[in-house]
Amino acid sequence: MAETFPTLFSQIKLGPLTLRNRIAMAPLTRQMAEADGTPNDEMAAYYARRARGGLGLIITEGTYEQDAFQSRAYLSQPGIANDSHQAGWAKVFDAVHQHDCKIIVQLMHGGRVSDPRVLNGQPPVSASATQSEGWSLYTDSDYEKQIRAIDGPWDKVTFGPARALTVEEIHQIADGFAAGAKRAVDAGADGVEVHGANGYLLWQFINPKTNLRTDAFGGSPENNIRFAKLVGEKVRAAIGPDKLIVLRLSQDGVDDFVGAWPGTTYAEAIGAALKGSAYDALHWASFNYLDNRQADDATPMPTVLRKASGLPVITNGGIADGPQAEAALTTGAADMVAIGRPIFAQPDWPYIVRSGASYDWAPFDRKYVVRPPLDYGLAYPLALTDPNWPAI
Ligand SMILES: Cc1cc2nc3c(=O)[nH]c(=O)nc-3n(C[C@H](O)[C@H](O)[C@H](O)COP(=O)(O)O)c2cc1C
């Protein structure tokens, strides 16, 4: 049994943490916190169930770190901005730690793609005064309207025009990330992941298409990544050397699936700029980690970043089974893998993979996104009612 996917199931030292294997749960927004952002018992059960499934690391769903500066991005999104949030997360961390699994909180700021319904009439903020052409996810089907009890014509929620942040505000937002990180570790988290991916605020700075600044925070790859580096430094100062700090990066945004990053050349510059930064590791987010949209180069983007930064890379995107995960680890594309949609559907994914048992790939369905009243029914592979797995 132990020889099945030997790299995947070997320990890894990531920053200050030793993880029992190389499988992370990717951050997955569920919108199941209380309306005020407090994590609830349902979330503790959901995360603990997946920790029990044999993961080495859980990276939580994107969490807002402060109430100011339009940080919140979603309805029912969890926060880590006040005592109530902190107490809620403490229950989640306790529940997860009982299963020998580490957990870090993903800290995010929605920037220009924050749901207008959580902005209280304020304009969203971004690197520059731009407006996303996309629309808010999760409210565009009858099923979702019904399941979330939304009345009225909610077919599309468009994003408003964003205003550019001042340099002073950039520093204040970075301070907010640090304060959120401090609350997270005070509540028992093993570290944090800074969300620089998927179209949100830090990505809007990293992406040359949305960052039109001409000051120290725009105009070159080194300047575009400066905000994310500043956040890393402030977070490190707040939580010290014994906690893990990861930076998540991606080419695409939730409102831009054509690949805003130019490809290899740009990733090399970003990776080089992150060398020696406060981050212990990078995390590549995509729907297919083998992608590289630079026409003359087929090297997977996480391979490029790993080489350029010299940092360990958690690689995510389209990894569905053991052979694919092991291949990512043994071909230079990853030090660890992060699994998203399969873990939504199959909390025992690590055990199932290690056992070599066949299992159904649960196709992604939007029903996994919103408050999941059917979570446990959907989540459990029917053929495995009582796996009684040995320790992993
Ligand atoms: C419903 C849903 C919610 C997601 N929420 C987040 C999130 O909160 N933070 C984040 O960085 N990525 C988020 N992602 C992206 C996933 O982490 C991951 O990159 C994506 O699902 C591809 O990985 P997979 O092929 O293993 O599913 C989300 C994806 C989905 C489908």
Side-chain angles (χ1 to χ4, degrees), residues 137-307:
L137 299 175
Y138 316 145
T139 51
D140 54 1
S141 77
D142 288 344
Y143 176 74
E144 287 162 23
K145 280 195 278 182
Q146 181 227 322
I147 203 171
R148 293 187 47 193
I150 294 170
D151 291 324
W154 281 107
D155 288 341
K156 278 187 182 181
V157 178
T158 50
F159 300 116
R163 70 168 180 86
L165 288 166
T166 66
V167 170
E168 193 189 352
E169 288 172 326
I170 288 173
H171 282 267
Q172 287 168 328
I173 289 175
D175 288 337
F177 272 87
K182 177 78 169 65
R183 281 191 179 276
V185 302
D186 286 351
D190 299 294
V192 294
E193 174 170 280
V194 173
H195 199 344
N198 297 357
Y200 300 109
L201 181 65
L202 294 177
W203 180 95
Q204 292 156 29
F205 275 76
I206 298 167
N207 169 15
K209 278 198 213 162
T210 45
N211 186 342
L212 312 175
R213 300 177 77 98
T214 51
D215 61 8
F217 289 94
S220 67
E222 295 72 25
N223 285 357
N224 294 355
I225 194 74
R226 195 179 303 282
F227 189 6
K229 285 175 72 174
L230 177 71
V231 170
E233 283 158 25
K234 289 192 184 244
V235 168
R236 179 64 76 199
I239 67 176
D242 301 331
K243 301 291 173 186
L244 178 64
I245 310 179
V246 177
L247 174 63
R248 194 168 214 220
L249 298 169
S250 71
Q251 216 164 358
D252 297 325
V254 282
D255 59 335
D256 177 0
F257 284 103
V258 293
W261 277 36
T264 301
T265 315
Y266 194 68
E268 278 172 352
I270 293 291
L274 286 165
K275 218 175 213 168
S277 68
Y279 291 104
D280 295 306
L282 304 180
H283 179 183
W284 184 250
S286 68
F287 281 100
N288 178 2
Y289 80 91
L290 296 168
D291 268 358
N292 183 333
R293 297 197 187 86
Q294 185 160 305
D296 62 356
D297 191 357
T299 315
M301 289 288 277
T303 308
V304 176
L305 264 181
R306 188 167 176 263
K307 203 165 153 209

Side-chain angles (χ1 to χ4, degrees), residues 339-356:
I339 311 295
R341 291 162 295 173
I343 301 274
F344 264 154
Q346 297 186 346
D348 285 323
W349 192 92
Y351 280 119
I352 295 167
V353 163
R354 195 184 64 158
S355 74

Side-chain angles (χ1 to χ4, degrees), residues 7-25:
T7 320
L8 186 62
F9 289 98
S10 62
Q11 277 193 355
I12 179 170
K13 189 160 188 309
L14 205 60
L17 304 184
T18 300
L19 307 174
R20 63 177 159 178
N21 59 44
R22 290 164 190 253
I23 308 167
M25 175 176 168

Side-chain angles (χ1 to χ4, degrees), residues 35 64-77 108-126 130-132 136 154 157-163 165 173 200-201 204:
Y64 65 94
E65 60 285 336
Q66 63 177 328
D67 284 316
F69 301 111
Q70 294 91 284
S71 304
R72 215 179 139 198
Y74 291 108
L75 292 165
S76 306
Q77 180 189 15
M108 71 172 279
H109 185 305
R112 70 177 200 160
V113 294
S114 295
D115 188 324
R117 289 167 296 170
V118 300
L119 294 181
N120 300 322
Q122 298 286 310
V125 299
S126 189
T130 62
Q131 181 170 11
S132 169
S136 178
W154 281 107
V157 178
T158 50
F159 300 116
R163 70 168 180 86
L165 288 166
I173 289 175
Y200 300 109
L201 181 65
Q204 292 156 29

